[in-house]
Amino acid sequence: MPGSGRLPVDDYVLFALWIMAIVRIFWPHPQLILASGIVLLTYVVLSFRRIRRQLQILSLLLALTAVALAGWLGAWAGLWQGMEKAVIFAAFFGTLTLMRATADLRPEIGRARKLVEPLSAGARTSGLLVGTNVLGTALVVGVMPIFAPIVGQDAPYAVRKSAAEACQRGMCLACLWSPFWLAMAISTEHLPDVPLWQIMVLGLLLCALGLTVAQLMYTPDVGMRALWQALRAFSPVLPPVALSAAAVLGLKAVTPLTTLQCLVVGIPVLCIGGLLSQSIDHLRRAASQAAQGVGAVRGKSRCYPARLPWAMFWSRPSRQVASAIRSLPWRRRQLP
Amino acid sequence: MIASVVIGMTVLGLAGIHQVVTVTVMLVLFGTLPIGVSDLALMQAGLLGWAFSSMTGLSAVSVAAASTMFSVPLERIAYGPNIRFVTLFGLLGIAVVTGVNWMILQ
């Protein structure tokens, strides 16, 4: 619990998972991959009893379906592979909490918060929609720890919920055209004949349509002028965010890492550098806050690491189904 | 078929199946069948489904991140007002992609 001193055992397990996942990216030794899978399984068991009953039921249903599918397809090894694959997502939350802790201590966030405070609720929502859409193109989910501190963790529940929903709308629409999302990588893997520029142009048009629909649905009273003011209120965070995006994209360009791996590896380095440029005390405070923040993953989204191994398991049967479909006798008519 | 991809991915996402799984099955299944859908339209339908699954899916990283960062229960974000947006924009998106597919096949 934040502020309650000693952390529960499962928080230490989650922290260990984060470190193992980062090391695994550079040194994917089979023993280490196996060990990280075991640590995640331990975390799943430890955390299961603390999640809400509805989510316990959902996790159990996913697990049972995965086990039934494994038995049906004879893909028992896939169950364990799902566990090992899910480790990177657990590690990603460690990076997000460090990013959030860093953002809380950076002066740019304080300046942006002061500029955002006087805005109307509609203008703020509108600014979050467009801001997360633009930055989500490169930073993907990494935009959340940047915008959340601007809204403030002491803001009323309704404000936080509305902001989270607006961020979700804006960021998720970016995947319609962004080449940095996993969605594009998987899609081009399965449909390699589609030129990237075509899908990006069509996706951009759809993204613009989506933003317009969202604007008309949720903030119809916010005009272009108010939207521009809202976007200007976020401007203090632009330089560090641009640096983060450039670092992630640069890392992606020179390494074979995925965007998610680049975020997990690159962002902590930037966070530590940024905090050290302020003072060693800032680094200490952020480290302490991040440790408490791992507890936030426990408290609010513990169910996520608990569910993910089962959700990820499905990727193996889905690939088996994909192979089976490809081997069917019919051939698809060649289309443009 | 375009609607099947988008709606299928979204509904399975709501049920907790990750979009990595659903997009793989959908693209391979509909990319293999002789159903008169161009690759471009099929890919865009898959991306629309991914966007909606990320917005409202219980297993989506983005939903979990938003829940943690804004301190809002996960299911309130997944099953919140964004479902209305997904429904309306989903219908529009399907119409646009269907129109593009029709133009390509002419």
Side-chain angles (χ1 to χ4, degrees):
Chain A
M1 283 306 149
S4 64
R6 200 178 164 82
L7 294 170
V9 175
D10 39 345
D11 284 356
Y12 289 106
V13 176
L14 195 58
F15 183 72
L17 208 54
W18 180 24
I19 301 296
M20 289 174 103
I22 290 177
V23 175
R24 240 179 73 167
I25 291 172
F26 297 103
W27 190 56
H29 193 278
Q31 299 291 338
L32 181 62
I33 293 172
L34 175 71
S36 62
I38 293 169
V39 174
L40 179 58
L41 181 62
T42 309
Y43 179 75
V44 169
V45 173
L46 285 173
S47 61
F48 188 79
R49 63 199 156 85
R50 296 207 201 176
I51 61 175
R52 281 189 297 277
R53 181 164 291 276
Q54 299 95 310
L55 293 167
Q56 278 181 339
I57 293 168
L58 176 68
S59 301
L60 273 176
L61 280 175
L62 280 172
L64 287 173
T65 315
V67 169
L69 212 53
W72 182 43
L73 295 168
W76 292 106
L79 270 181
W80 185 249
Q81 283 175 357
M83 190 68 70
E84 290 176 344
K85 272 187 185 175
V87 169
I88 185 72
F89 292 95
F92 181 57
F93 276 87
T95 296
L96 283 186
T97 51
L98 177 62
M99 202 172 169
R100 170 71 198 255
T102 306
D104 276 338
L105 295 171
R106 291 293 303 176
E108 297 90 349
I109 297 292
R111 283 203 293 275
R113 194 181 294 154
K114 276 188 187 139
L115 291 170
V116 167
E117 267 167 12
L119 295 175
S120 69
R124 189 178 52 228
T125 303
S126 200
L128 286 171
L129 174 81
V130 178
T132 50
N133 181 262
V134 174
L135 298 177
T137 301
L139 281 179
V140 194
V141 186
V143 297
M144 292 292 179
I146 293 164
F147 284 93
I150 296 175
V151 175
Q153 56 188 6
D154 299 328
Y157 172 76
V159 172
R160 282 184 281 116
K161 182 171 177 286
S162 162
E165 287 159 0
C167 287
Q168 273 287 87
R169 285 192 293 275
M171 187 199 67
C172 294
L173 284 175
C175 90
L176 292 175
W177 71 275
S178 171
F180 304 113
W181 279 63
L182 179 63
M184 191 66 87
I186 292 180
S187 301
T188 47
E189 183 192 333
H190 292 295
L191 299 167
D193 294 335
V194 177
L196 189 61
W197 72 267
Q198 283 186 7
I199 194 71
M200 283 178 71
V201 168
L202 181 56
L204 256 174
L205 289 173
L206 271 174
C207 182
L209 179 66
L211 289 175
T212 309
V213 170
Q215 182 78 4
L216 292 174
M217 277 179 79
Y218 297 98
T219 51
D221 52 331
V222 176
M224 288 307 287
R225 197 173 164 187
L227 173 60
W228 178 242
Q229 277 180 337
L231 289 174
R232 283 187 62 182
F234 294 118
S235 63
V237 299
L238 214 56
V241 168
L243 181 67
S244 306
V248 169
L249 297 184
L251 206 58
K252 193 167 162 52
V254 298
T255 65
L257 302 179
T258 64
T259 305
L260 193 64
Q261 288 174 326
C262 290
L263 282 166
V264 168
V265 172
I267 294 296
V269 176
L270 286 174
C271 289
I272 292 168
L275 289 162
L276 278 176
S277 72
Q278 291 177 274
S279 74
I280 189 79
D281 185 51
H282 279 80
L283 181 60
R284 276 201 207 101
R285 281 164 58 195
S288 162
Q289 196 181 323
Q292 305 286 356
V294 172
V297 175
R298 174 204 69 216
K300 299 177 185 80
S301 299
R302 180 197 294 273
C303 49
Y304 190 70
R307 275 200 328 274
L308 205 62
W310 316 119
M312 289 308 290
F313 154 74
W314 289 55
S315 66
R316 170 135 177 188
S318 69
R319 284 183 182 277
Q320 285 187 329
V321 171
S323 301
I325 292 168
R326 281 204 188 95
S327 65
L328 288 171
W330 67 66
R331 297 295 302 166
R332 187 172 178 236
R333 183 165 60 88
Q334 288 301 305
L335 293 164
Chain B
M1 289 304 157
I2 288 165
S4 305
V5 173
V6 179
I7 295 168
M9 283 184 69
T10 308
V11 170
L12 288 170
L14 282 166
I17 308 297
H18 197 273
Q19 56 270 28
V20 166
V21 176
T22 49
V23 81
T24 301
V25 172
M26 292 290 182
L27 291 189
V28 172
L29 178 65
F30 291 107
T32 311
L33 294 169
I35 50 173
V37 178
S38 68
D39 282 355
L40 177 65
L42 186 59
M43 188 186 278
Q44 194 62 70
L47 292 176
L48 260 179
W50 187 291
F52 295 155
S53 298
S54 301
M55 224 177 279
T56 58
L58 274 183
S59 291
V61 180
S62 53
V63 172
S67 163
T68 305
M69 293 297 140
F70 288 92
S71 303
V72 177
L74 192 131
E75 63 274 21
R76 293 283 169 88
I77 292 179
Y79 299 154
N82 279 350
I83 299 258
R84 205 156 48 96
F85 171 73
V86 164
T87 308
L88 186 61
F89 179 54
L91 292 173
L92 272 173
I94 289 167
V96 170
V97 177
T98 306
V100 169
N101 186 56
W102 181 80
M103 284 194 288
I104 289 171
L105 298 184
Q106 289 309 298

